[in-house]
Amino acid sequence: MNESPATEPLDLRPLPGSTRRPAADITAVEPLDPDARIEVTLVLRRSNPLPDNYDQHLTPEEFAEQYGASESDLALVTSTLSALGVQILQTHAASRRVRIAGTTSLLDRVFGTTLEQATTGAEPAATATHRHRTGELSVPAALDGVVTAVLGLDDRPQTRALLRFVPAAQVTTSYTPVELAAIYRFPEATDGSGQSVAIIELGGGFGEEDLDVYFASLGLATPKVTAVSVDGATNEAGQDPTGADGEVLLDIEVVGAVAPAAEILVYFAPNTDAGFIDAVSQAAHASPTPVAMSISWGQSEDAWTQQARTAMDDAFADAAALGVTVTAAAGDNGSSDAAGVTDGEPHVDFPASSPHVLGCGGTTLHADVATSAVSSEVVWNNGRSGGATGGGVSDTFALPDWQQSAGVPLLSGRPGRGVPDVAAVADPRTGYQVRVDGNDMVIGGTSAVAPLWAGLVARMAQASGRRFGLLNQALYAGSGSQTVPPGFRDITDGDNGDWSAAAGWDACTGLGVPDGTALLASLEGS
């Protein structure tokens, strides 16, 4: 007697790069309801390979036609999965994504896995309950090579917010973003007019009252800020002032203060691999296309599956081709990227390590706000308990062509992408004055550097009348071992653990901190 179509074995093929390790700190595992509904994101192959040169930016229409998913691949995925009972929720050809839904038992069968419910985290305040899987996924044989990633089956928290606090008594000085724009010489007579900046958030929220009070204190009008929901996540303020809310308000207030005339779009997504890529893709392919995208969330490269890392990097490549400059925090745990990493080896944070992203490291800054004169600026490193800038050499991504002459050291005898590319103040002891959930506070972390650089990009785009996309290509054009190109002030003192600052590029502060006026002049002359 033949088995019913719902239970007979499917012809499946392994999905390369999908192997998932067990989550850390599992305290309980239980069966999942087989009839529970799950939503998942599939990523498809490109219709054509994307060129390595990002000098010529494409329109959304050009990109979709040349480098999105083909109509035949979309039709094949839709028909194959529909025939198996999977619901097709949405297709997006340009970003090559298909959003699907099905029951636990159905998706287990279609993708060759067994989902469970896991509780992780040793402390009650840090516990999370989520779907959990281990091992490799498969796809129906007809989709072998067509589907390159299946994300969201396991919805464990994928990243963490890269921000830092210290007790108020430990704050030696602090700055408004407006003061930092003057210290770093952002181009005068610019305010981000005509530009839009996307901010990716994986939790938290903001309230209009906080924004109105904060910007009024700076003598600025409240910028236009729009919350965008991704995969059901929404703007939920007032929940976590020293965590996700702190991240959201920090990002918005830094961008809004240094580029007050720019439009800000805040994409709220679930903190999962699927939520992250859906937010990045939705922002990159938005209309109008943003000039910059700021990301202050990350996790060690090792905490990602290969398929998720590759899919995210491809989404950042989309952004670069469309003329979007993506800025990402390099991490707050020094050269070990220690949160969740216990092997004692150096690691770098992703997505800052993507070769299609501008990785942003951190410094400790002492400057006179009245004159904007800097008395000292060194690598941010407050020790194991106080945080330090991330940075190092990727063991996942190869050394990019544009970084070949920068003097990036070898990691275990092999070349790799060097992180970060740029820097600015990140030490919470010399941090950013912001307002969160009705409280005025000082926040640090490389979380603050990514939106600061995104605001600088918006002002340079306004002044020059053009987009920069993969800004790294232009920034490194004049670099060399122990030399720094125009537009940067070199940081040569301090370390982040395994790596030390030195003349020229280093794995603590990259090329250095910006001299925005000189950087704009250099870019306009290139």
Side-chain angles (χ1 to χ4, degrees), residues 26 33 59-60 154 159 181 215 225 257 294 326 339 382 392 408 417 427 440 490 498 506 524:
I26 293 179
D33 178 358
T59 66
D154 183 319
T159 65
F215 287 105
V225 182
S294 176
V326 181
N382 294 343
V408 178
R417 152 74 159 130
D427 187 342
D440 295 323
D490 202 2
D498 287 292
D506 56 63
E524 288 183 321

Side-chain angles (χ1 to χ4, degrees), residues 445-464:
T446 54
S447 276
V449 186
L452 188 75
W453 268 89
L456 173 57
V457 169
R459 288 175 61 162
M460 293 193 300
Q462 174 196 359
S464 63

Side-chain angles (χ1 to χ4, degrees), residues 273-516:
D273 54 8
F276 205 159
I277 192 172
D278 287 342
V280 168
S281 295
Q282 193 168 325
H285 292 272
S287 181
T289 307
V291 72
M293 183 190 308
S294 176
I295 301 175
S296 295
W297 300 71
Q299 184 60 276
S300 172
E301 288 181 327
D302 304 73
W304 297 74
T305 61
Q306 181 184 331
Q307 62 160 359
R309 263 196 325 262
T310 300
M312 284 286 290
D313 183 51
D314 281 346
F316 296 133
D318 286 9
L322 290 163
V324 184
T325 301
V326 181
T327 62
D332 298 346
N333 291 287
S335 60
S336 68
D337 207 33
V341 178
T342 58
D343 61 8
E345 298 296 323
H347 296 271
V348 293
D349 213 78
F350 182 80
S353 66
S354 163
H356 299 101
V357 163
L358 187 71
C360 299
T363 68
T364 298
L365 171 70
H366 291 278
D368 184 337
V369 297
T371 64
S372 300
V374 175
S375 55
S376 72
E377 191 161 13
V378 300
V379 176
W380 167 42
N381 188 346
N382 294 343
R384 182 175 295 275
S385 62
T389 182
V393 180
S394 172
D395 61 6
T396 297
F397 296 102
L399 184 67
D401 288 345
W402 41 263
Q403 210 175 32
Q404 293 283 341
S405 63
V408 178
L410 301 178
L411 179 69
S412 300
R414 294 181 292 105
R417 152 74 159 130
V419 185
D421 301 298
V422 297
V425 61
D427 187 342
R429 299 175 307 178
T430 64
Y432 295 65
Q433 298 171 20
V434 294
R435 184 176 180 84
V436 180
D437 295 344
N439 301 298
D440 295 323
M441 56 180 63
V442 175
I443 300 181
T446 54
S447 276
V449 186
L452 188 75
W453 268 89
L456 173 57
V457 169
R459 288 175 61 162
M460 293 193 300
Q462 174 196 359
S464 63
R466 65 184 179 95
R467 297 173 167 274
F468 299 105
L470 187 58
L471 183 59
N472 310 40
Q473 293 181 138
L475 297 185
Y476 281 88
S479 70
S481 181
Q482 299 187 335
T483 63
V484 172
F488 289 94
R489 179 162 49 80
D490 202 2
I491 305 299
T492 57
D493 294 324
D495 66 78
N496 67 351
D498 287 292
W499 310 103
S500 297
W505 182 91
D506 56 63
C508 299
T509 57
L511 297 170
V513 299
D515 177 332

Side-chain angles (χ1 to χ4, degrees), residues 191-198 223-226 255 259-265 288 290 292:
D191 57 9
S193 294
Q195 313 303 315
S196 65
V197 176
K224 181 179 179 182
V225 182
T226 303
V255 173
E263 181 179 0
I264 300 172
L265 296 101

Side-chain angles (χ1 to χ4, degrees), residues 2 74-75 91 111 119 146 150 159 167 177 207 246 334 345-346 365 418 461 465-466 470 482:
N2 291 332
L74 285 171
T91 63
F111 297 113
T119 300
V146 176
V150 177
T159 65
E345 298 296 323
L365 171 70
R466 65 184 179 95
L470 187 58
Q482 299 187 335

